[in-house]
Amino acid sequence: MLLKQYQQVSQGNSKDTQVLKFDDFASIGISMPVSENEQRRIGGFFDRLDSLITLHQRKYDGCTLSPIFFRKVHTMQENITSESLFCDYYAQWVRTYKEGAIRDVTMGKYRLTQSWLSKLIPELRLADMDRTAYQQLINGYAQHHERQTTMDFHHQIKGAILDAVDEGLIPRDPTRKVIIKGKQPRIKKMKYLNQFELHAMLADLDLGDEASWDWLILLIAKTGLRFSEALGLTPDDFDFAHQTLSVSKTWDYKNGGGFVPTKNESSVRKVQLDWQLIMQLSGLLKNLPHDKPIFVHGKVYNSTANDVLARHCKNVDVPVISIHGLRHTHASLLLFAGVSIASVSRRLGHASMTTTQETYLHVIRELENKDVDIVMRALSTLI
């Protein structure tokens, strides 16, 4: 109708060029919904259409979603309604969006969250998931867990809830202004060696001509690598010319072996090596297969490496620490030597400096006490 009116009032010098005058345009009548309810229904229709378009534009693992994935979403929409149980929705959400997209370790955490939902809210419907119901869920979980663990639980559920809101299954976001509670965290005493104790323990190592647990202990002590990162090293990861070590994968020793991705994106890094370690390793690695794990020979157990390290600690009468304690020792020595938290964080492959600060708070506090003494001495010389 509007097009017909336009054709009637349009003018021009040729049939290919037409001009619509303002006065003529102003005279055209445009039909509008009269009632406010009708306008709201039309607006709601386009809101739902926009949500549907957004849903189908989702990206999966950085790539355009395959037709198979779209069929999964469509199936999920058909099977789940606002009357469905939230537990059922969450289970389908995990299968649809998480399976094959995350590491097995992370997937295990989502499965654990799923089991807790079955315990805490087995009969809760999507339509009943409001702020009160969600806060009660978080409170129930917090009775058994520390605050940080409860925060992780909240984040794993929130993704599914926001999708349910987008799909119109939950009226509004119930996670808004949630209060995260939790049990008082247990005091965790970190075990690490000081510089003199570490030197004595390293002197007790038997560094032969073949790769061994003793060599792995030396490497972790000097690089701060995680146990799985050290196991995943191959000779190709060492750049002797630039004195660097590339960490880009780990060894899945808990699940039968094989290379798997690092703990997080920040864990992919280059670690600078001292010249003495470079000289030692260049001779050790020269005849080894360039793309095979250096320290893996059959089934690997963390307890075996811990037993070897414990024996060396006892031999020189220093506190017994674990392989992971060597990583703490490495970081603590760097901090006491004056290395910045930012540099230590990058070297360890932490996701953020906050992780480093929280993990080594005891060291930082000791350094702050020393800084106070230094500041007082400096100020006393100003007179």
Side-chain angles (χ1 to χ4, degrees), residues 179-222:
I179 298 173
I180 305 299
K181 305 176 184 179
K183 292 169 37 178
Q184 190 70 20
R186 293 169 296 179
I187 299 176
K188 300 174 183 177
K189 187 176 180 180
M190 184 185 301
K191 290 189 175 182
Y192 65 97
L193 304 179
N194 62 37
Q195 183 176 355
F196 302 103
E197 293 168 339
L198 178 63
H199 186 274
M201 187 276 293
L202 294 180
D204 193 60
L205 298 178
D206 182 12
L207 303 175
D209 296 331
E210 297 182 356
S212 63
W213 289 122
D214 283 18
W215 277 106
L216 180 130
I217 289 170
L218 175 66
L219 182 65
I220 293 179
K222 288 205 165 190

Side-chain angles (χ1 to χ4, degrees), residues 82-117:
S82 59
E83 297 300 310
S84 300
L85 298 178
F86 181 79
C87 291
D88 294 340
Y89 175 82
Y90 186 80
Q92 284 204 31
W93 183 83
V94 170
R95 287 197 299 270
T96 303
Y97 294 107
K98 297 302 177 181
E99 280 188 357
I102 56 179
R103 299 175 67 208
D104 290 341
V105 174
T106 308
M107 190 65 189
K109 295 178 181 178
Y110 277 95
R111 294 298 188 202
L112 186 59
T113 295
Q114 189 174 322
S115 67
W116 271 100
L117 290 176

Side-chain angles (χ1 to χ4, degrees), residues 148-358:
Q148 183 56 54
T149 309
T150 306
M151 180 68 77
D152 295 339
F153 177 76
H154 159 66
H155 284 310
Q156 290 191 333
I157 300 173
K158 186 175 180 179
I161 287 181
L162 293 181
D163 279 352
V165 173
D166 287 344
E167 294 160 18
L169 299 172
I170 296 178
R172 57 186 60 84
D173 180 11
T175 68
R176 188 174 62 89
K177 295 185 179 179
V178 65
I179 298 173
I180 305 299
K181 305 176 184 179
K183 292 169 37 178
Q184 190 70 20
R186 293 169 296 179
I187 299 176
K188 300 174 183 177
K189 187 176 180 180
M190 184 185 301
K191 290 189 175 182
Y192 65 97
L193 304 179
N194 62 37
Q195 183 176 355
F196 302 103
E197 293 168 339
L198 178 63
H199 186 274
M201 187 276 293
L202 294 180
D204 193 60
L205 298 178
D206 182 12
L207 303 175
D209 296 331
E210 297 182 356
S212 63
W213 289 122
D214 283 18
W215 277 106
L216 180 130
I217 289 170
L218 175 66
L219 182 65
I220 293 179
K222 288 205 165 190
T223 61
L225 265 60
R226 299 177 177 93
F227 181 61
S228 59
E229 292 173 343
L231 291 179
L233 293 176
T234 68
D236 277 348
D237 295 321
F238 291 85
D239 184 348
F240 293 122
H242 295 91
Q243 293 187 209
T244 59
L245 166 61
S246 295
V247 180
S248 59
K249 57 192 179 305
T250 64
W251 187 258
D252 191 11
Y253 68 94
K254 293 181 179 179
N255 297 299
F259 292 115
V260 292
T262 55
K263 184 176 182 180
N264 51 57
E265 292 182 3
S266 301
S267 297
V268 178
R269 62 198 188 279
K270 289 186 182 294
V271 179
Q272 201 73 28
L273 305 177
D274 66 88
W275 68 267
Q276 186 179 18
L277 184 60
I278 286 291
M279 295 298 293
Q280 291 173 301
L281 292 176
S282 60
L284 177 71
L285 305 181
K286 63 180 179 181
N287 294 322
L288 296 179
H290 67 94
D291 58 349
K292 300 295 182 183
I294 300 169
F295 301 104
V296 177
H297 307 287
K299 182 67 175 175
V300 176
Y301 297 97
N302 180 271
S303 58
T304 305
N306 284 333
D307 289 343
V308 173
L309 177 56
R311 186 179 70 247
H312 288 299
C313 289
K314 292 175 182 177
N315 287 346
V316 294
D317 196 24
V318 300
V320 174
I321 63 171
S322 65
I323 287 290
H324 197 69
L326 277 180
R327 177 173 162 87
H328 293 321
T329 298
H330 179 84
S332 299
L333 291 180
L334 293 182
L335 290 170
F336 278 122
V339 179
S340 70
I341 294 177
S343 296
V344 173
S345 182
R346 284 194 298 269
R347 188 171 175 87
L348 296 180
H350 281 162
S352 68
M353 281 193 293
T354 302
T355 303
T356 313
Q357 290 171 324
E358 291 176 350

Side-chain angles (χ1 to χ4, degrees), residues 5-24:
Q5 290 179 281
Y6 164 72
Q7 290 173 337
Q8 289 175 349
V9 302
S10 61
Q11 299 176 2
N13 297 326
S14 69
K15 63 180 180 181
D16 295 326
T17 305
Q18 295 180 327
V19 177
L20 183 62
K21 294 182 178 181
F22 177 79
D23 292 340
D24 294 328

